[in-house]
């Protein structure tokens, strides 16, 4: 039986993102942006003459990575407003194998309509990562959440405003419950548990998920009762065993963003990194799920760079997270917190062909994620460093 496909990837080793063992000598077919077969036998019966055929000679294929906590635009860079997506950052991300980014909230006062118009233009290009937007923070009047959060003070307002942004196409809601981490955010008004529960209930009834900004355990406890799907940061104070177990039972993820705590500690002397890392170690040891994200806003070396969140990965390794666990966090789990696991996150038949191809196996040395051969997004070759195409 002859196959009509657009792209054939021969002779590769596959880490599919599910946590399964690496598969050797795999051949992958792509058509119309989707993976249509994954087989262990050589495929020679390709029907269309325009099919691109790549012999990868034992290179390693992974799902494209997902940064599940970044701010890609509508923010401030060096105190100047950025009223659009930061293309320089997006370009650097795709070059280093990040094919999806979850934007965790607009920080400027731009409108959601304006942001979505620019996102529609961005989506027409295949040369950038897919950006999954959360829109604006849901917060209390006068509360935390950038220049112009969506404020709610009644159950009726919650129902109206959550439904409004879901109708606009947003599938992850961002909310906040936090005591603040600097003088500008200390003591701001906070949402009640009743309103937080209603945000989660309305979102879930519409098939959306809820991500929450939180950095203290007593606030996290309220959010877990309310029904969030992921905590957008690790907490830096005492995370109890009971709360860890409650999160695991309810399948609530952390996106640890340890980079933030390292940045604050290194720059301002606040001793918060060690406790956050210890909390993460205990959460993972108990069986908790994490996704990869570093809360990128602007470039600030050595903590924040354009592209792959390497400091975050190094900190995860220091916490004892294995290479396979980091890969699953950056792929499968990332797709789940993005509410996009039907399309991305693993290399499986029917999923989008978002692929990161490395020269060497990252399970043997995780620094191999820097040795990129190719990046493929939606079946299109975006980066090609060392592979000859046969047409």
């Amino acid at each position: 039986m002859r196959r009509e496909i657009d792209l054939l990837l021969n002779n590769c080793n596959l880490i599919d993102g599910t946590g399964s063992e690496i598969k050797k000598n795999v051949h992958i077919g792509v058509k119309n942006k989707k993976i249509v077969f994954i087989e262990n036998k050589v495929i020679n019966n390709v029907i269309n003459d325009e099919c691109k055929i790549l012999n990868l000679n034992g290179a390693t294929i992974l799902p494209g990575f997902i940064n599940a906590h970044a701010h890609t635009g509508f923010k401030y860079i060096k105190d100047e407003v950025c009223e659009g997506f930061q293309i320089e950052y997006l370009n650097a991300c795709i070059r280093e194998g990040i094919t999806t980014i979850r934007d965790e909230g607009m920080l400027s006062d731009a409108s959601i309509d304006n942001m979505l118009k620019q996102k529609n233009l961005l989506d027409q290009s295949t040369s950038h990562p897919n950006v999954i937007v959360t829109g604006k923070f849901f917060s209390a009047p006068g509360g935390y959440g950038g220049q112009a959060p969506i404020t709610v003070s009644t159950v009726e307002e919650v129902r109206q405003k959550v439904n409004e942004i879901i109708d606009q196409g947003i599938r992850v809601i961002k909310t906040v419950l936090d005591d603040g981490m600097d003088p500008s955010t200390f003591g701001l008004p906070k949402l009640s548990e009743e309103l937080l529960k209603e945000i989660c209930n309305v979102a879930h009834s519409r098939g959306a998920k809820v991500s929450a900004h939180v950095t203290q355990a007593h606030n996290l406890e309220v959010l877990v009762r309310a029904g969030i799907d992921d905590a957008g940061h690790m907490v830096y104070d005492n995370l109890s065993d009971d709360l860890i177990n409650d999160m695991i039972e309810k399948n609530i993820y952390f996106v640890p963003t340890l980079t933030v705590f390292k940045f604050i500690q290194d720059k301002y002397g606040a001793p918060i990194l060690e406790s956050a890392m210890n909390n993460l170690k205990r959460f993972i040891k108990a069986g908790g799920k994490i996704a990869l994200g570093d809360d990128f806003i602007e470039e600030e070396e050595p903590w924040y760079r354009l592209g792959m969140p390497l400091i975050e990965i190094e900190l995860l390794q220091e916490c004892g997270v294995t290479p396979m666990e980091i890969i699953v966090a950056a792929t499968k789990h990332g797709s789940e917190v993005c509410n996009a696991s039907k399309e991305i996150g693993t290399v499986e038949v029917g999923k989008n062909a978002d692929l990161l191809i490395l020269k060497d196996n990252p399970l043997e040395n995780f620094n191999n994620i820097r040795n990129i051969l190719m990046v493929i997004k939606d079946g299109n070759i975006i980066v090609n460093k060392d592979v000859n195409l046969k047409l």
Side-chain angles (χ1 to χ4, degrees), residues 24 43 52 65 94 112 143 287 290 292 312 321 357 367:
K24 303 284 189 177
I43 307 299
K52 297 176 181 177
F65 273 27
I94 197 77
I112 291 180
I290 65 168
L292 177 68
E312 188 70 22
V321 186
I357 304 177
N367 284 329

Side-chain angles (χ1 to χ4, degrees), residues 333-353:
H333 290 173
S335 73
E336 290 164 354
V337 300
C338 287
N339 203 10
S341 59
K342 292 181 180 178
E343 298 95 28
I344 60 173
T346 55
V347 181
E348 297 179 276
V349 171
K351 296 282 187 78
N352 293 2

Side-chain angles (χ1 to χ4, degrees), residues 302-315:
W303 308 280
Y304 287 101
R305 59 187 295 277
L306 303 179
M308 186 70 72
L310 295 177
I311 294 295
E312 188 70 22
I313 289 169
E314 290 172 5
L315 290 169

Side-chain angles (χ1 to χ4, degrees), residues 34-95:
K34 300 287 187 181
I35 298 167
V36 294
F37 64 77
I38 302 171
E39 298 188 2
N40 288 108
K41 59 184 179 181
V42 177
I43 307 299
N44 294 313
N45 53 344
V46 177
I47 191 169
N48 49 319
D49 294 336
E50 295 182 356
C51 176
K52 297 176 181 177
I53 302 174
L54 303 178
N55 186 349
L56 295 175
N57 296 315
T60 302
I61 290 188
L62 302 85
F65 273 27
I66 299 166
N67 187 331
H69 192 147
H71 297 272
T72 60
F74 305 93
K75 58 186 178 179
Y76 292 84
I77 302 174
K78 307 303 180 190
D79 296 323
E80 296 290 330
V81 67
C82 172
E83 291 293 18
F85 291 97
Q86 187 182 358
I87 301 301
E88 180 186 18
Y89 173 64
L90 297 180
N91 287 342
C93 286
I94 197 77
R95 286 195 303 268

Side-chain angles (χ1 to χ4, degrees), residues 140-155:
Y144 182 96
Q147 293 294 310
I150 298 172
T151 59
V152 290
S153 54
T154 68
V155 167

